[in-house]
Amino acid sequence: MPENNFDERVARTYEAKWPELFDPAVVDPAVSFLADLAGPGGAALELGIGTGRIALPLSQRGVRVHGIELSPAMVAQLATKPGAEHISVTIGDFATTRVGGTFTLAYLVRNTITNLTTQDEQVECFRTVAAQLEPGGCFVIEVYIPELRRLPPGQSIHPFTVTPAHLGFEEYDVASQIAVSHHYWVVDGQLETRSSPHRFVWPSELDLMARLAGMTLRERWAGWKREPFTSDSRNHVSVWQKTS
């Protein structure tokens, strides 16, 4: 079972610490993209549903959403929100948890795949998803491209957020393919810190995991608005389709 890095303190302050993620300009394109793939009356499985940032508006589009979440504290926050009664959630590790039934769509957003910190766990996640998809169903992952090109020679730390209220640094270990995210916030005059390990993964590696699970790449974009994916893209939204 992966370590749960989202305790009650993190769950309670999640939206306050990452307000940019809840901006409609960020949420709406993702929800539209996923709703189109799920289809009218479709069923979607969100891995790492969290507090419902994507699931709630997707449900409002008429998609039946079921979530898997390791953190009971995050689910407790979801349960307080309007529309939560239409979403069912299973507590468990999304690398191995199967909820019963099949789905037209499964998805992982905002780098959540990297919370699985071994290659074996990530491979198993693809297999678990494939087993729950209908033939022709799609699996979507939104994740960053490892920032190794932006590391100065001999350095291992890359700043990804620098604001008066939040500092964020990624500490890369290339040999183990692990990046530890370090966060520092000033909250009510007090310094709060948080560090968590993540396994960074390349698009080609994810494509191979999909093939092992019986899925093939359908499309890849630099973002939810279907911006072209290029060598300079810092993120990607990839869609794999179950072939049988």
Side-chain angles (χ1 to χ4, degrees):
M1 178 75 72
E3 180 181 357
N4 177 14
N5 291 305
F6 295 84
D7 57 18
E8 289 186 8
R9 185 188 69 166
V10 173
R12 187 176 61 254
T13 60
Y14 185 78
E15 295 186 28
K17 287 178 176 174
W18 283 281
E20 67 279 3
L21 296 178
F22 294 83
D23 188 326
V26 174
V27 172
D28 292 349
V31 171
S32 294
F33 188 106
L34 295 170
D36 287 345
L37 284 177
L45 178 66
E46 180 169 359
L47 282 64
I49 195 171
T51 63
R53 179 178 70 97
I54 299 298
L56 288 167
L58 185 59
S59 175
Q60 293 169 1
R61 297 282 190 99
V63 177
R64 290 176 288 115
V65 182
H66 189 106
I68 299 174
E69 175 57 53
L70 187 63
S71 169
M74 295 289 274
V75 176
Q77 292 294 317
L78 166 60
T80 66
K81 298 182 177 181
E85 67 275 11
H86 301 301
I87 297 173
S88 53
V89 181
T90 300
I91 301 295
D93 165 20
F94 63 71
T96 58
T97 299
R98 301 187 184 188
V99 302
T102 58
F103 300 86
T104 54
L105 172 70
Y107 62 94
L108 271 171
V109 298
R110 199 193 166 239
N111 309 323
T112 303
I113 187 66
T114 68
N115 289 337
L116 302 176
T117 54
T118 70
Q119 187 182 67
D120 285 345
E121 289 175 320
Q122 292 175 347
V123 167
E124 190 61 29
C125 174
F126 273 81
R127 288 175 174 158
T128 300
V129 165
Q132 298 177 92
L133 282 178
E134 297 178 359
C138 292
F139 183 29
V140 179
I141 288 181
E142 175 196 22
V143 66
Y144 71 97
I145 303 294
E147 299 275 26
L148 301 187
R149 290 195 305 167
R150 293 175 173 82
L151 291 177
Q155 299 297 310
S156 61
I157 296 178
H158 170 72
F160 59 85
T161 298
V162 180
T163 72
H166 181 200
L167 300 178
F169 302 91
E170 207 88 73
E171 183 179 5
Y172 282 90
D173 184 329
V174 177
S176 65
Q177 212 163 310
I178 293 293
V180 179
S181 293
H182 301 285
H183 296 270
Y184 303 84
W185 289 276
V186 177
V187 180
D188 297 328
Q190 300 291 318
L191 180 65
E192 290 190 13
T193 66
R194 178 174 182 264
S195 296
S196 57
H198 302 267
R199 183 180 188 272
F200 60 87
V201 61
W202 302 96
S204 58
E205 190 179 3
L206 292 171
D207 290 344
L208 182 55
M209 293 179 189
R211 289 182 61 186
L212 292 172
M215 294 183 279
T216 58
L217 182 67
R218 169 171 156 168
E219 52 190 296
R220 172 167 290 136
W221 306 97
W224 294 109
K225 296 180 181 179
R226 290 182 167 83
E227 302 93 331
F229 180 75
T230 71
S231 297
D232 294 322
S233 297
R234 301 182 72 170
N235 301 278
H236 66 101
V237 174
S238 295
V239 181
W240 297 275
Q241 191 164 28
K242 185 173 179 179
T243 54
S244 61

